[in-house]
Structure formats: C-alpha cells, structure tokens
Amino acid sequence: MGAVRAAAGIALGAVTACAAPAVLATAALTRRGTAVVRLAELDQRRVAALLDTTPAHPDQADQAGRSGSHGNTGRSAHAGAGAGAEGAGATGAGGGVTGAGGGVEVWRARAYLWARLPVGLLGGGALVLLGAGAWTVAGALGAWLSGHAADGMRPTWPVAGYLLAAALLLLFLDLAGLAAVAELERRLVRRHLGPDELALMRRRIDELAATRSGIVEAVDAERRRIERDLHDGLQQRLIVVAMLLGRARRKDSEELYRQARHENEQALEELRQVAWRIYPASLDQLGLREALAVDAERCPVPVHLHGDLTHRPAPAIETAAYFAVREALTNAAKHARAATRIDVTIHQDAHTVRVSVRDDGNGGADPNGTGLAGLARRLGALDGHLTIDSPPGGPTHLTAELPCAS
C-alpha cells in the first residue's frame, strides 16, 4: 500500500512538474505570484500526503492535565515542548505555503518549482520505464505461454535466465531511482517551503518561554502542597505532642507520656512521607525501577512492572520519568473506580526514555487538573511530552516520553 501511495505521489509530481513552466511563465507576464504559491502549496500537500513517511509527532500544544479527576470526559491529551520546532520543520509539509497571505514568500515558491522541475520529470520517466518494462515482460511471457516466439527468441533456459537476470537488475535500478526521487521531493519541500531558521528560532523561543512559565507555576503549586502537608498534618501533631507533654509534666501521668510518644512517632512518619513525596532517596540510590517498585508496594491496586532502563540517563530525566509514573499511580488509586490492575512499562532506546502506565479502571480521565498539569509542564521543560488516552469506560493509558540524555 505504501508503494502504491508513493507511486501515485511521484506520478502527480510529474504532472505538476509539467504544469510548472506554464504557471511560472504566466506569473512572470502578469507579475502576480498567486498561482505560483498555490501550485507550490498543492505540491507541499502532495508530498505530505503521499511521500512523507515520517510519523507525525504528537501535538505540541501545552495542554494541562488535572491529576485529580478521572472525570467526565475521556480523551487523548498531548503536552510537550521543544520537539515541536524540529517536528514542524522536519518535513515542511503541513504548515501552509504562503506568500500571498503569509508564510513562504513568492520567490521561495518560485525557486521551489524551478528546483523540482527536473526531479518531477525524472520521477515521471522512471514510472514510464517501470510500466514499459512490465508491459514487455508480460508480452514476452504471454507469447511464450501461447507457443510463439517473443522477438524471435524461443523460451530456452539460457535465454530465460538471461532475461530474468536483466529484468531483475533493471527493476532494482528503477525502484532505487523512484526511492531517490521521493527523497529528493521531501528534501526540496523542507529546503524551500519549510520554516526558515529564523522562524524555527522564534518558535523555539516561544516554546521555551511557555515551558519556563509553566515550570514556575508547577514549582509554586508544589510549594503550596508541601506547605499544606506541613501545616495541616505535621504541625498539628507537634502541637498535640507539646500539649500532652505539658499536661504529663503537671500531672506526672504515664498514660499522657505514652500518648505523647505515640503522637511523636506519627509525626515522624508523616515527616518521612512528606520528604518522600518531595523526592525519594531510593531514586538516587537504587535507580528508577527499584524506586517504582517501592511505590508499587504502597499502591492499593496491584502494580505490575515491566522493562527497565538500559543505562541511567541524566538525573533530571530519571526524576521526571519517576514522577510521571507516580502521578499516574496516585490517580489510578484515587479515581479509577473498579481498577484491579496497573501495568507500568519502562522502555529506553538510543534517543528516548518512555514510561507508560495503564490501568483497567473506568476511564474518563480529565486532563485539566493540577497534578497532570504540573507533570506536563515538568516534561515540557525537558523537551518531553505527555500523552493521556482515557475513553469513558476505560482503560486509562498514560505515556511520558523524554529525550535520553545520558
């Protein structure tokens, strides 16, 4: 199917290449570049639809996810930054070519059409040769099978072997030429119609500004959460300890001393929990998988861990991956009603660290809450992105991808 689509793209490219000289000549006579821009835009869409084999990168809109609610509407959310500039500029296809209306100027569209004229004709010629070769082979086989000679040649084994070897060699050369034409088409679109370096830099600056403000908001939200934990939990227990010790000193009561000791132990446990929520020491000491194993033991829903890192990435990457999984575990335990299993998968290749969490709960996660919003901003600040797929009825699948900087 991909080969048929590529052949159709090259064939259409040959047609637009034949039409390009007339369009360019008309534009030069009328001094209007609208037709030139429209033809270039049409060609860009052709390359994007039929010849672009690179998978689309997830949407780079900064979407906030809200940790609390596996709420009312399930949907897929993508959040991230950094890769958008490279992804948009990689193919050049997909952002409109403009010059009469904004985008690529008329002179860039004109330069593109002149540059791709020989490429389009070359692709058309390669397709004609491919069709002619197929017709010749079919005609020879038809003649031999009907008992006639093909161009005066009888179907002997030496003749058949010679012709078969020649046909396979020519087929290989023709297909290699078509693949080269498709690659040249993609490169010409990137070079002439894609965002220029200044546009990419501006886009990157905008993304960095957005992720910077996002991470500041996430840090402020985390500080407020820590303050609430200390004020509402630990501080209240320490006040109770102080009151019990004061009463015990006045009354010399062993029972009051015992209660004070119990409250002190609870305060220490809450302090350890607060410290663990801020940053688990096991992550530095044992690595990502072992730190997540500790979280899995604490989770009320059974958690199954799969995979591991092939080598330890930069601490910031490992930390972001850890908190992505922990946020998903927290959400599943609190909000995924009827969840009986959570699967956590860790994968790493040469360029990416990927962690995914899937639960079999009721789904409907709402990506508009503070927890996932902060997580998305944390990932975006590291040029990563977050994907949430949680249709009503489940399952919920969260995936975090981060660049693998060792």
Side-chain angles (χ1 to χ4, degrees), residues 107 148 164 190 213 251 276 291 293 309 346 366 395:
W107 70 267
H148 298 88
L164 178 62
R190 284 197 296 265
S213 62
K251 297 183 178 180
W276 170 74
L309 298 177
I346 306 168
D366 179 11

Side-chain angles (χ1 to χ4, degrees), residues 64-153:
R66 211 169 271 266
S67 104
S69 327
H70 272 64
N72 300 327
T73 56
R75 51 190 164 179
S76 176
H78 306 282
E86 294 84 351
T91 64
V97 183
T98 56
V104 175
E105 297 85 350
V106 174
W107 70 267
R108 294 184 69 193
R110 183 181 293 114
Y112 167 75
L113 292 179
W114 280 119
R116 75 160 302 273
L117 176 59
V119 177
L121 296 178
L122 180 62
L127 285 175
V128 169
L129 289 178
L130 184 62
W135 178 264
T136 301
V137 170
L141 287 176
W144 285 345
L145 291 174
S146 63
H148 298 88
D151 290 335
M153 294 182 293

Side-chain angles (χ1 to χ4, degrees), residues 6-333:
I10 293 174
L12 288 175
V15 173
T16 58
C18 293
V23 172
L24 289 166
T26 303
L29 291 175
T30 60
R31 298 180 181 274
R32 298 182 63 183
T34 304
V36 173
V37 170
R38 286 179 177 174
L39 182 60
E41 184 176 15
L42 176 65
D43 226 45
Q44 185 187 37
R45 291 173 180 168
R46 171 186 64 85
V47 172
L50 300 175
L51 298 179
D52 187 10
T53 57
T54 56
H57 200 278
D59 182 16
Q60 300 303 320
D62 178 23
Q63 282 194 7
R66 211 169 271 266
S67 104
S69 327
H70 272 64
N72 300 327
T73 56
R75 51 190 164 179
S76 176
H78 306 282
E86 294 84 351
T91 64
V97 183
T98 56
V104 175
E105 297 85 350
V106 174
W107 70 267
R108 294 184 69 193
R110 183 181 293 114
Y112 167 75
L113 292 179
W114 280 119
R116 75 160 302 273
L117 176 59
V119 177
L121 296 178
L122 180 62
L127 285 175
V128 169
L129 289 178
L130 184 62
W135 178 264
T136 301
V137 170
L141 287 176
W144 285 345
L145 291 174
S146 63
H148 298 88
D151 290 335
M153 294 182 293
R154 292 291 177 179
T156 62
W157 284 111
V159 170
Y162 169 77
L163 292 180
L164 178 62
L168 290 177
L169 177 60
L170 293 176
L171 177 63
F172 170 78
L173 293 176
D174 198 63
L175 293 179
L178 290 173
V181 167
E183 178 60 25
L184 285 172
E185 294 267 28
R186 290 190 288 268
R187 291 189 179 187
L188 286 173
V189 168
R190 284 197 296 265
R191 179 179 178 84
H192 292 280
L193 305 182
D196 57 19
E197 185 176 356
L198 180 58
L200 290 176
M201 290 178 63
R202 286 174 175 170
R203 185 179 304 172
R204 181 62 170 157
I205 290 171
D206 291 341
E207 290 168 350
L208 291 175
T211 55
R212 183 186 64 179
S213 62
I215 201 65
V216 168
E217 292 176 7
V219 169
D220 288 342
E222 185 68 12
R223 286 173 175 167
R224 288 191 291 270
R225 186 190 63 78
I226 293 171
E227 190 277 334
R228 286 195 303 269
D229 288 343
L230 295 176
H231 181 273
D232 298 339
L234 185 60
Q235 178 176 303
Q236 300 302 319
R237 287 198 179 275
L238 292 177
I239 291 173
V240 171
V241 170
M243 292 174 59
L244 289 172
L245 289 175
R247 291 172 57 192
R249 185 179 62 179
R250 288 193 301 270
K251 297 183 178 180
D252 194 19
S253 169
E254 183 67 25
E255 176 63 20
L256 291 176
Y257 276 115
R258 188 190 64 79
Q259 293 180 18
R261 185 171 65 250
H262 174 73
E263 291 293 333
N264 183 63
E265 292 171 353
Q266 293 298 314
L268 288 174
E269 177 60 26
E270 288 193 12
L271 182 59
R272 282 193 290 267
Q273 291 292 330
V274 170
W276 170 74
R277 285 193 292 270
I278 295 172
Y279 189 87
S282 59
L283 183 59
D284 285 337
Q285 298 167 0
L286 304 175
L288 178 62
R289 182 182 173 87
E290 296 303 322
L292 291 177
V294 174
D295 288 350
E297 293 177 358
R298 299 186 181 196
C299 185
V301 181
V303 178
H304 301 266
L305 282 173
H306 311 279
D308 200 356
L309 298 177
T310 55
H311 61 274
R312 296 195 71 170
I317 300 297
E318 192 174 46
T319 301
Y322 168 81
F323 278 104
V325 175
R326 199 171 80 178
E327 185 67 34
L329 293 180
T330 301
N331 283 355

